Amino acid sequence: MKRRTFLFGAAGSAAAATLVACGGNGGASGGAASGAATTAAGGGGKSLDTIRVAHYFNEAHPNHIALTEVFKPAIEEGSNGTIKVQVFPNSQLGDEEAMSNGVRNGTIEMAVPGGLLANADRKIGLVEFPFLFNDYEHGRKALDSEPGEFVKEAFRGLGAEPLGFSLNGMRVVSSNKAITKLDDFKGFRLRMPNVPVYIMTGEALGATVTPMSISEIFTALEQKVIDGQENPYLTVLANKWYEVQSHMIETYHLLSVNFYLFNQELYGGLDSETQKLIADASDKSSRHAWDLSVDLEKTVKGELEGHGMTIIIPDESFKADLNSAMDGVYEKLYADYDWAEEQVKKIKDMA
């Protein structure tokens, strides 16, 4: 795709913002739907003329690009223009908690949050257990198989229909000091999302974890309320946290996954043709975002270095200590959740 090629050949953040502003007519069709979509018998007979999609990324992030480049045209072209898609980036419809609950209660048709709903069902947090995946390929393989279906069923139990796994990236730590050994995390005030497995991971590293919304991070770093945060490289660049942080530590401690969620009641009431259109568009869009995120990571690392950040790759001793620090986390997970050990084994066996 022209936009994707250009993005790789220029400065990633600036290019992506320019490309999004230019709009586009690409994307894959998920099938044709004639006339406005209506709910099936028993669904109340309501029509679906607009899908509002909420997410917390900015316009330069692959997740937003995929929604505008793939999902939106697939729905609008596949429905012959009877269904419009409005994409709301930058937490415009509320933070992650608000958009997740909005999908569940039907005030938002669709959202692409992270794993915050693990607070409501711990099974959702499976894919973000610490140091579980060897690489992106391993993660994709697991999500496309039984462990992925296991997580999807948890979402359905909360009133959200899961239509795709998207990628935020392997998570790394940013700071204003060099962190080269496990002891350097002691007393380190680390922002993490308010998700149990994240908090357990941060505390196991020895950090003092401060949960907060992603929209609050820049100000908290600038005012030194926190010492650092952890997110994928792409998120650090897109949010310009390099302006208030000097170092990146490539811990790769968690695979950060996003979920294409649709209001279950609305989706279940749609005719099968429209359901397929939405499901196909979601699958293609989420996979495009995943591939784009993986491809961009090297470019983004170079850009962060260009902004003056120092990237620290843990040596083998540091890596071993990071993994060993998680022993207690897994002991607790296995003790608390009777499904955890079996699912973890299935994932590790896929490596």
Side-chain angles (χ1 to χ4, degrees), residues 24-344:
N25 55 15
S29 173
S34 57
T38 57
T39 55
K46 296 179 181 178
S47 63
L48 175 65
D49 53 19
T50 303
I51 299 174
R52 292 166 300 159
V53 187
H55 67 83
Y56 53 72
F57 300 101
N58 75 4
E59 293 89 340
H61 196 281
N63 274 299
H64 179 79
I65 293 171
L67 287 166
T68 56
E69 220 176 58
V70 179
F71 182 80
K72 177 179 171 69
I75 295 295
E76 295 183 347
E77 293 170 15
S79 68
N80 295 321
T82 61
I83 304 176
K84 301 298 183 183
V85 174
Q86 298 175 346
V87 182
F88 295 88
N90 296 308
S91 301
Q92 290 178 15
L93 299 186
D95 61 16
E96 186 176 356
E97 181 177 10
M99 70 179 72
S100 298
N101 289 329
V103 168
R104 295 174 66 190
N105 62 35
T107 58
I108 302 172
E109 291 79 21
M110 181 174 170
V112 186
L116 191 65
L117 283 179
N119 290 335
D121 190 328
R122 298 293 190 247
K123 296 183 182 71
I124 290 169
L126 167 66
V127 296
E128 295 181 320
F129 280 11
F131 299 99
L132 180 58
F133 300 104
N134 292 350
D135 49 36
Y136 291 119
E137 183 179 357
H138 182 200
R140 184 77 256 180
K141 186 177 181 181
L143 293 174
D144 285 340
S145 56
E146 197 278 335
E149 289 301 316
F150 178 82
V151 172
K152 285 183 177 181
E153 281 303 310
F155 278 115
R156 293 187 182 107
L158 297 176
E161 183 63 29
L163 299 175
F165 294 102
S166 183
L167 180 67
N168 194 355
M170 287 285 194
R171 298 179 82 94
V172 294
V173 175
S174 71
S175 73
N176 278 325
K177 69 173 186 177
I179 295 178
T180 60
K181 58 185 183 301
L182 194 61
D183 283 348
D184 291 337
F185 279 111
K186 290 182 178 178
F188 186 78
R189 295 171 298 174
L190 177 65
R191 178 272 172 183
M192 298 187 100
N194 190 20
V195 179
V197 72
Y198 281 68
I199 295 172
M200 289 170 63
T201 299
E203 290 176 345
L205 293 174
T208 300
V209 177
T210 303
M212 67 174 61
S213 169
I214 193 170
S215 60
E216 301 175 44
I217 292 177
F218 191 99
T219 300
L221 289 170
E222 188 175 41
Q223 296 179 352
K224 302 188 186 306
V225 174
I226 53 176
D227 299 314
Q229 62 77 50
E230 50 80 57
N231 260 294
Y233 282 113
L234 276 70
T235 306
V236 175
L237 179 66
N239 288 278
K240 298 184 178 181
W241 293 329
Y242 54 79
E243 294 181 358
V244 286
Q245 296 272 262
S246 60
H247 288 72
M248 300 294 306
I249 300 85
E250 194 169 288
T251 49
Y252 281 168
H253 51 285
L254 295 165
L255 177 65
S256 186
V257 178
N258 286 80
F259 308 92
Y260 275 48
L261 302 180
F262 209 91
N263 175 260
Q264 188 180 60
E265 183 177 0
L266 175 59
Y267 184 81
L270 295 170
D271 60 83
S272 59
E273 188 177 14
T274 305
Q275 285 182 344
K276 185 176 188 305
L277 173 65
I278 296 171
D280 287 351
S282 296
D283 183 67
K284 291 169 184 175
S285 179
S286 60
R287 289 179 186 276
H288 180 65
W290 183 290
D291 292 341
L292 186 55
S293 293
V294 173
D295 290 344
L296 274 175
E297 188 167 287
K298 289 183 180 179
T299 301
V300 168
K301 288 170 68 173
E303 288 195 45
L304 289 171
E305 289 178 318
H307 285 296
M309 296 198 81
T310 299
I311 296 178
I312 297 172
I313 309 296
D315 59 25
E316 292 305 313
S317 176
F318 189 9
K319 288 180 182 178
D321 287 342
L322 289 170
N323 277 274
S324 295
M326 299 301 114
D327 289 348
V329 174
Y330 275 95
E331 287 178 9
K332 180 169 176 51
L333 290 170
Y334 293 162
D336 289 348
Y337 310 120
D338 57 8
W339 48 264
E341 189 167 7
E342 178 185 1
Q343 293 299 326
V344 167

